[in-house]
Amino acid sequence: MAAAFVKSVSGQNTGAVTLVLPAFTGSVTAGNLIVVHAGRHNTAGSTLSVSDNKGNSYSMAVGPTTLGNGRAYIFYSVVDTGGTNFIITITASASSIHTAAAAEYSGVATSTPLDQIAAATGNGTAASSGATPTTTQANELIMGMVYSPPNVPTISAGATFTFRVNRVNNSRGSILLEDKNVTSTGTQTATGTISATNDWIAQCATFKEAGAAVVFPQEPAVIRQAVGRSFSW
């Protein structure tokens, strides 16, 4: 089963230790993947963690990737406890300007889903994470994130990606969350286009899709005829 986007939320704050994202619409499904992209400004020396009100654990996939006073992170969780009114909180060890987005995906491996990562920084209008190592299985979900600190209007998705979230705020920084599915192994690169020259941080994380169910074949008729009995697979 191919990994599939379900829904997303995003939010921003300024000068606070925590950012509480809006609740997801409807219900989050247990066993689905939640990916969180967070960007921060004026936050040198502080750390970041992600939690939710259902008690799920989040791991850092990428980050912190740092450029000047900007930092970006990707966190993820395979949800053990889902349900309605599902709220994610991002907590820093010091007061920060946060911009963040979270997305839910179905069809991702529930055990060790993270495969490969890449991250890069730069200045200009063309953001690129650089290439990941070669993915270890053919069918994977590729997540791309671009964070640009304050003073950037918009960020558009890379040519092969589907746009999911573009949270824009000129005074707090902007983020792009994008994804695509691939069906063959290879290196992967997340890209985005910034509408005005600015600093940027680009990150890529690949997640293994859930494996197909094993289907045992029926015994061939020619074997039954040859040996005169049936087999149990």
Side-chain angles (χ1 to χ4, degrees):
M1 177 177 64
F5 172 79
V6 180
K7 51 184 173 284
S8 65
V9 293
S10 64
Q12 294 174 313
N13 72 359
T14 182
V17 172
T18 61
L19 168 59
V20 180
L21 295 179
F24 280 98
T25 301
S27 181
V28 170
T29 301
N32 280 359
L33 176 75
I34 299 289
V35 179
V36 180
H37 173 43
R40 306 164 62 205
H41 189 62
N42 295 332
T43 56
S46 57
T47 59
L48 196 76
S49 63
V50 176
S51 60
D52 63 47
N53 60 337
K54 306 296 183 179
N56 297 292
S57 297
Y58 290 78
S59 300
M60 187 186 299
V62 188
T65 308
T66 304
L67 178 62
N69 287 331
R71 293 187 177 194
Y73 311 72
I74 299 174
F75 286 82
Y76 71 97
S77 176
V78 176
V79 174
D80 290 321
T81 304
T84 58
N85 192 38
F86 193 104
I87 297 172
I88 291 173
T89 298
I90 298 162
T91 304
S93 60
S95 183
S96 307
I97 300 172
H98 295 91
T99 306
E104 179 186 4
Y105 291 86
S106 63
V108 176
T110 56
S111 177
T112 60
L114 180 65
D115 188 13
Q116 305 293 352
I117 63 172
T121 64
N123 179 273
T125 58
S128 172
S129 66
T132 68
T134 300
T135 53
T136 61
Q137 72 173 45
N139 298 320
E140 296 207 1
L141 169 70
I142 313 303
M143 296 296 306
M145 287 82 166
V146 178
Y147 170 67
S148 192
N151 304 316
V152 59
T154 59
I155 310 172
S156 57
T160 62
F161 284 83
T162 298
F163 157 86
R164 297 302 181 189
V165 178
N166 184 12
R167 184 81 186 195
V168 177
N169 190 301
N170 288 349
S171 64
R172 302 177 192 176
S174 299
I175 58 172
L176 167 74
L177 188 152
E178 61 186 5
D179 64 53
K180 68 178 179 179
N181 297 87
V182 296
T183 57
S184 60
T185 58
T187 61
Q188 299 296 330
T189 302
T191 60
T193 301
I194 302 170
S195 59
T197 297
N198 204 42
D199 288 345
W200 52 260
I201 301 171
Q203 299 171 318
C204 183
T206 80
F207 294 91
K208 293 174 282 187
E209 293 185 355
V214 177
V215 178
F216 293 103
Q218 294 184 350
E219 68 224 28
V222 65
I223 295 178
R224 289 199 306 270
Q225 293 169 0
V227 301
R229 66 185 182 88
S230 296
F231 291 89
S232 297
W233 298 95

